[in-house]
Each structure stands twice: as structure tokens, then as C-alpha cells.
Amino acid sequence: MATYLIKRFFAMIVTLWLIITLTFFLMHALPGSPFNDERNTSEAVQKNLIAHFNLDQPVSVQYIEYLKSIVQFDFGPSIKKSSQTVNDLLGRGFPVSFELGMVTLVVAILSGILLGVLAALKHNGVIDYLAMTIAVLGISVPNFVLATLLIQQVAVNWELLPVATWKSWRHMVLPTLALATGPMAIIARLTRSSMLEVLTQDYILTAKAKGLTPFKIVFKHALKNALLPVVTVLGALAAGILTGTFVIEKIFAIPGMGKYFVDSINNRDYPVIMGTTIFYSALLIFLLFLVDVAYGILDPRIKLHKKEGR
Amino acid sequence: MEKILQVKNLHVSFRTYGGEVKAVRGVTFDLHKGETIAIVGESGCGKSVTAKSIMGLIPNPPGKITDGKILFKGKDLAKLPDRELRKIRGADISMIFQDPMTALNPTLTIGEQIMEGIIQHHKIARSDARKKALEILELVGIPSPKSRLKQYPHQFSGGMRQRIVIALALICEPEVMIADEPTTALDVTIQAQILDLFRDIQKKTGVSIILITHDLGVVAQVADRVAVMYGGKIIETGTKREIFYEPQHPYTKGLLNSVPRIDIEDAELVPIAGTPPDLFAPPAGCPFVARCEYAMEVCDRIYPTQTLKGNEHQVYCWLQDVRAKTSFATKW
């Protein structure tokens, strides 16, 4: 296990380095600079600013300098938001984004699995058709459309929940709902089809022949096997939720990282672009790693490492 | 001998898009305490369906017991609601399935799979269940059971897995064990070991066994009595001796003739020509009529009545009926 973890860790570092390098050069290939906006700054001032942020040096030199600083976990200052470092921005935005992302993921997984299991058990029944209709809608309607519809109906017309911002649990309901519906639908469909397949397996008949209760047969014998394909897509779904947070945070005016990320690209705020990208990538790489570990736990046939002997 | 299980006039049908398949059409047999009865027949003759009906494991829909009784300890299992049946399943009557490679859950340890039955039925503590599981694993011949308990099915060979499947079936000390083609998926040497194990277990525990098989070699090794099934009906029953040495029904003879023999030089393998009857529209008369070389006019129209050839030996064939003009010396 230890050797696997070490190997995996190095692979993660290499992946991250590739992402950093690509992003860095692509970002500098973008036309425009942080300083040409509507404000008329004199050329002298612009020159001073460019020199201050080391932007007058060749890109390769900047790249080396940047790598040196991020090794020490220093993502540099923000160009646009003076007197704030990227570390400050991440420290402030991340907890909010993390909360939104995690709540969404948990809601999507739990409700998706529940819906899928119910649909499979009542195969071709009313619940099945209802669940699958919800699932198809959830997959087809983009989260920003759902978000605006929810705001219009629940927050504006019915005045049940706040329109935007991030303060209490009541503020969390709508953004979570908007963000979780898509992934939930995907999980529900997958769980249903894989559950239907597992329920026809011989070991389910064995479990029935033992005289186990239907509850035990479904949740102990069937679900664990049925979840394997679901776990596989979890990494990709987490990525989807992550990118979804940019849009949802913008719509609901949630002070998370997504806002900084989008703004920084529009502003060519180089250090912030790099900082947020690296942060998101690292998070995603870590989530994918967790998925692989979960796979090994769910299915004993999958070994993450070679066992000595056999 | 005490009758522990009685199946009376069992009918099982499956509703399909093509119509109703009458898979089992009036099967009757008794199981005595401590004996092994073998139900023999080719694919699709209804032997597995009969076995699953006893356990209440016919998927409903599409399957349904349309008529008949399955009497066990004064209860009719055919009419018992699932909740009641569950208490008997695995506890008093257990089942062994054909393919040990797929009959075990790949994601649970074998210890868990063996123990959960007894925890469910006898409501005992896990530590007691573990002790019991170790005993059973010892009984079915798994070496070093203590460490094996924590392993998963994929860490066992096919033969070992079948031993574990048998252990699952034995843990609650059932009175009846139904084995549905228990050796079909195993190679021949392992097959012999498993059959030895069956005899051994029966000697030790006194369990009654219903053995479903198409393999007459298996029957010869373990059965006390034999019931030959064809087209959803039992066409001949008798002791193993009677069936092997004095078969009466042309189908039984055909079955015996189609067993490959290595003890006779140049022995010819004689297959039974034709195919089994269509169970969407089963024939009114004898189901074997289309393939029988001795078929008479009556065979086509009326199902034969029972003819007793011995105390236990019953056959359903017009050729054996006392009203048949001459006694046919059929080929055997």
C-alpha cells in the first residue's frame, strides 16, 4: 500500500506540474495585459507597474520565478486587488466553495442512489417511471437555467427562500439544489441500471435462499456490488460540480473561489488565474485519488498494490 | 419411513410474451428422512423449477404455482406468504446452486456469508456464529478455516467455493437440502470429491437431500431413489437399483443408453432422436410420444396411468399397462 501511495503521489505532482506549465504559457499567450483597461493610466505608470510585477522579463524567466515561489506555497500578490495576496483570496473563498461543493456532492450521491435503488426495485412501476423522468430532466436542464427558474419561482414568487448570498442554511438550499440535480440524475440512472443487473445475479438468489429479509438482500448484497460503476463516475461528477460552482456562485452572489476565478481571467490577473487553477486542479486530482481508494474498499478483487506471495 | 416433505400434484407456469409456459405439470413425490432422491431429466424438463418452487424462489411474476401442494411439517409451502416462507428458507430447507463461481457474493467475506444465515434465523451472537461457521467449514473440508473465514470468494478455487456454498446451506442444520446440479460446473475429480462430501454430510447430519441433475453418473453415486422427469412430469420413479437395472419407460432406457461407456468395447452411444415437447402447448398424452419408437395411438391422446412395478417402482407408460395386449420386449 505504501509503495502505491508514494507512486501515486509522484504521479499527482507530475500531473499538477503539467497543468501549471500549460496554464502559465497559455495564459501569457492571451492578448491583453492586466493594465490596459478603461482607466487611462499614463505610460510611465504602466511601465513602472509592469516592472513591479516582473512582467517585463521574458516569459521563460517569469515561469522559473513562478515555479520557485509556488514550491514555497506562495502564489504571489493579486495584480488587480492591490494589497491582497492570492493566498488571502483562496483562504477566504475556499471554505465557502468547499461547503457548497461538499453539500452538493453529498446530496447528489445520497438522493441519486436512493432514487436509483427505488426505481430498480419497482422496475417498470410508477416509481420507476417517475424517478427516470426526474433523471432525464435533471440531465437535460443546465444548472444555470435551473438556478434562474428556482430563484424566480421559489425565491421571488413564493418568497420561501432568500434570493442570493451565503449566510444561513436557508441560503444554501437553492444553490445546492441547482447544482446537485444534474449529478443526482446521472447517479440515479447508473444506480438503477447496475442495480437491475446485480439483482439477476446468482448470489442474490443465494441470499434469498438463505431466508434473508428483502432489506438485507438489497442493501447488503446488491447495493455494494451495484455501486462500483457509480463510484467510477464520481471523479468526473466531482469535476462537474467544481466547474458548476463557478456559474452557480456567480448567479447566487456567493463569495466563493469561483468568483475570483472568473474575474481574474477577465482582468488578466495572472497570479490569481494561476493560483485558482492550481488550487482547483489539486483538489480534483485528490478527489480522483479518493475514488480509486474507494474502489479498492468496495471491491476486494481490485487490489491497489501487489500483495507479496500470491 | 417418515415422510419429511411431500410434493403433491405440483403445477408451475410462467407467463411470457409468447403465452403461458407450463413448466411443471403435476409433479408428485415424497422425500423420506435421511434419504437422497435424485430428480433426473434433460434441460427444460422442469426439474430446476420444481426445486425452486419448494423454496419459494420462483420469480413471481412471471412464475406462479398454479396448483398442488408442498407439505412440510404440516404446512403447505405453496400457499405460505413470503414472510412465513422466509423463516423456513435456509433454516429448515436450504439450497445449493449450480455454479459456485457466481453463487457467492464477490464483495463479502465468506465468513460473513456463512454467518449471516444463522444470525438471521437463530438470532445468535456473532462470536457464536463464528464458532459455528468454523465447525461447518471443518465439516465441508476447508483447511485452516480460521484464516479462510476472512477471505473473499475470489481467493478460492472452484471446488473450494462449492464446499463453501454447501457450508452456507448447512449452517442452520436444515432437515432438507436441495442441490440443483451441484457438480455440473466442476471438473470430474472435484465432482467425485463433492459427491463424497454429500454422502459424508448425510451420514453425520441425517439431512434429506433432493438432488437435481442430468448426470446419471452422479445419480449412481449418491442417490437412494430416482425420479425421472420429462416434459414437466415425472414419468418413472423407483429405487436406484430399479431404475438402473430394470428401467421400464422408453425414455429412461434412452437416457441410460446415451451414457458414454468405457467399460464395453465398441459400445455405441445411442442418442434419443428428436427434441423435447413444446411446453407452450404440451401434448395431451405422453410427452415423450413424438420421440418414442414404441409409440401407440393411445399414447398420443391420453396420458398414461400409473403402473406399479414394485413397491416403490412406478411408471407412467401405456406399454407397461396391464391392458396392453402383449408385453413389449423393448430394447434394453
Side-chain angles (χ1 to χ4, degrees):
Chain A
M1 193 71 185
T3 43
Y4 171 77
L5 287 181
I6 292 166
K7 262 193 206 156
R8 193 61 203 256
F9 180 73
F10 277 106
M12 280 154 79
I13 297 288
V14 172
T15 315
L16 204 55
W17 171 73
L18 284 173
I19 292 172
I20 292 169
T21 310
L22 263 174
T23 317
F24 193 88
F25 288 106
L26 282 175
M27 175 179 83
H28 280 280
L30 272 178
S33 94
F35 307 113
N36 50 7
D37 52 15
E38 307 84 34
R39 264 185 299 168
N40 268 331
T41 34
S42 70
E43 244 173 65
V45 173
Q46 281 212 18
K47 227 178 203 145
N48 278 338
L49 280 169
I50 286 174
H52 176 72
F53 289 107
N54 284 337
L55 293 174
D56 49 352
Q57 279 160 4
V59 176
S60 53
V61 176
Q62 291 184 40
Y63 172 67
I64 302 291
E65 287 300 314
Y66 188 72
L67 281 187
K68 273 186 201 161
S69 69
I70 58 165
V71 170
Q72 297 153 28
F73 292 102
D74 176 13
F75 293 99
S78 165
I79 296 177
K80 280 292 173 173
K81 296 185 165 51
S82 47
S83 81
Q84 289 191 26
T85 65
V86 177
N87 294 36
D88 289 339
L89 294 180
L90 291 180
R92 210 156 352 106
F94 175 65
V96 177
S97 291
F98 184 75
E99 199 176 6
L100 174 61
M102 279 302 130
V103 171
T104 304
L105 202 58
V106 169
V107 167
I109 291 173
L110 290 185
S111 55
I113 288 174
L114 193 72
L115 213 58
V117 169
L118 279 178
L121 290 183
K122 306 284 173 200
H123 183 41
N124 285 342
V126 179
I127 296 179
D128 186 17
Y129 291 130
L130 199 71
M132 285 309 108
T133 310
I134 295 174
V136 169
L137 282 178
I139 291 173
S140 350
V141 178
N143 54 24
F144 53 87
V145 175
L146 188 63
T148 20
L149 286 175
L150 282 174
I151 292 176
Q152 174 64 32
Q153 199 54 41
V154 183
V156 177
N157 289 358
W158 294 341
E159 296 180 23
L160 285 176
L161 291 163
V163 174
T165 71
W166 193 255
K167 286 184 189 97
S168 66
W169 69 266
R170 296 183 69 238
H171 293 80
M172 292 165 72
V173 175
L174 289 186
T176 306
L177 213 59
L179 200 50
T181 307
M184 179 205 74
I186 293 171
I187 292 175
R189 286 184 65 89
L190 257 177
T191 308
R192 173 181 177 269
S193 59
S194 103
M195 194 76 183
L196 280 177
E197 198 198 307
V198 167
L199 284 175
T200 63
Q201 297 289 319
D202 285 352
Y203 53 80
I204 297 298
L205 196 63
T206 309
K208 270 184 202 158
K210 276 184 207 167
L212 299 183
T213 57
F215 183 84
K216 266 200 182 146
I217 292 170
V218 169
F219 286 97
K220 188 172 170 186
H221 283 269
L223 191 58
K224 208 177 165 192
N225 287 286
L227 281 186
L228 281 171
V230 179
V231 172
T232 326
V233 299
L234 231 46
L237 282 185
I241 290 177
L242 220 58
T243 44
T245 53
F246 304 155
V247 184
I248 295 297
E249 283 178 12
K250 197 86 180 153
I251 294 175
F252 286 94
I254 295 166
M257 288 203 311
K259 195 173 75 128
Y260 300 126
F261 186 65
V262 178
D263 287 351
S264 70
I265 295 171
N266 288 334
N267 292 334
R268 307 286 186 278
D269 194 341
Y270 295 142
V272 182
I273 296 179
M274 287 308 295
T276 42
T277 307
I278 292 170
F279 198 83
Y280 275 125
S281 318
L283 196 65
L284 198 59
I285 290 170
F286 182 66
L287 281 175
L288 289 175
F289 165 70
L290 282 187
V291 165
D292 283 355
V293 173
Y295 225 83
I297 293 170
L298 270 179
D299 190 344
R301 284 168 300 184
I302 295 166
K303 283 276 163 278
L304 296 178
H305 54 102
K306 278 202 189 81
K307 221 165 137 191
E308 294 98 59
R310 47 183 294 162
Chain B
M1 241 193 295
E2 190 192 338
K3 285 177 185 168
I4 189 153
L5 181 81
Q6 289 173 280
V7 177
K8 287 185 172 170
N9 195 28
L10 182 71
H11 285 74
V12 185
S13 292
F14 291 88
R15 287 195 175 281
T16 67
Y17 289 113
E20 191 182 354
V21 182
K22 298 185 181 82
V24 174
R25 305 184 293 138
V27 161
T28 301
F29 68 91
D30 299 332
L31 179 67
H32 299 140
K33 201 170 168 57
E35 76 164 351
T36 301
I37 186 166
I39 301 180
V40 196
E42 59 194 68
S43 308
C45 73
K47 54 193 196 297
S48 266
V49 174
T50 306
K52 283 183 182 150
S53 306
I54 297 170
M55 290 289 277
L57 289 176
I58 296 290
N60 181 14
K64 198 172 187 295
I65 296 177
T66 47
D67 196 12
K69 285 183 178 149
I70 301 165
L71 297 174
F72 177 76
K73 284 185 174 173
K75 285 179 196 150
D76 183 4
L77 303 187
K79 297 199 173 51
L80 225 49
D82 196 64
R83 185 178 293 272
E84 294 294 312
L85 210 48
R86 228 185 283 147
K87 290 181 192 156
I88 293 170
R89 245 185 244 155
D92 298 318
I93 305 178
S94 64
M95 190 151 179
I96 296 165
F97 295 97
Q98 180 172 354
D99 190 353
M101 305 314 263
T102 56
L104 293 169
N105 191 329
T107 59
L108 294 174
T109 62
I110 63 128
E112 183 59 38
Q113 295 188 58
I114 295 173
M115 278 150 53
E116 66 179 350
I118 194 164
I119 292 174
Q120 170 88 28
H121 290 295
H122 295 182
K123 312 267 180 269
I124 61 171
R126 282 189 75 84
S127 55
D128 294 333
R130 189 169 296 119
K131 254 181 242 155
K132 187 82 196 158
L134 287 174
E135 273 172 39
I136 290 290
L137 283 181
E138 197 99 38
L139 179 71
V140 298
I142 300 275
S144 56
K146 215 163 203 159
S147 56
R148 291 299 228 167
L149 219 49
K150 291 186 214 82
Q151 292 186 329
Y152 291 93
H154 70 278
Q155 291 163 304
F156 292 82
S157 67
M160 282 293 162
R161 283 193 214 187
Q162 192 59 305
R163 286 171 193 269
I164 291 162
V165 172
I166 294 169
L168 296 189
L170 283 175
I171 185 87
C172 293
E173 297 173 355
E175 288 171 69
V176 178
M177 193 159 82
I178 302 169
D180 189 357
E181 308 246 7
T183 57
T184 308
L186 304 172
D187 58 56
V188 186
T189 45
I190 307 293
Q191 213 171 55
Q193 289 175 19
I194 295 290
L195 292 176
D196 279 343
L197 180 63
F198 270 107
R199 270 189 303 226
D200 192 39
I201 287 167
Q202 195 165 43
K203 218 180 283 166
K204 281 179 186 156
T205 63
V207 65
S208 313
I209 299 174
I210 300 176
L211 181 73
I212 312 288
T213 184
H214 64 267
D215 186 342
L216 289 167
V218 171
V219 176
Q221 282 184 64
V222 291
D224 298 312
R225 283 194 305 133
V226 184
V228 183
M229 264 188 96
Y230 188 82
K233 286 174 179 285
I234 289 181
I235 49 134
E236 185 168 2
T237 64
T239 62
K240 178 166 71 183
R241 243 188 136 50
E242 287 161 344
I243 295 294
F244 276 88
Y245 292 100
E246 300 146 32
Q248 300 297 322
H249 200 286
Y251 177 66
T252 315
K253 290 173 191 176
L255 266 189
L256 288 164
N257 275 330
S258 53
V259 174
R261 307 203 41 174
I262 51 167
D263 53 336
I264 302 171
E265 195 83 18
D266 295 329
E268 213 177 319
L269 192 64
V270 190
I272 305 173
T275 50
D278 176 14
L279 293 177
F280 280 109
C286 174
F288 191 58
V289 64
R291 300 168 80 181
C292 182
E293 42 187 313
Y294 309 102
M296 303 177 286
E297 226 183 298
V298 62
C299 300
D300 204 20
R301 273 183 276 128
I302 307 162
Y303 187 73
T305 49
Q306 187 191 79
T307 308
L308 277 177
K309 282 286 170 181
N311 212 3
E312 298 273 350
H313 197 171
Q314 304 157 6
V315 62
Y316 294 83
C317 179
W318 286 123
L319 295 173
Q320 307 301 334
D321 194 273
V322 284
R323 282 163 289 181
K325 277 186 188 137
T326 38
S327 175
F328 284 84
T330 54
K331 193 163 59 191
W332 170 238

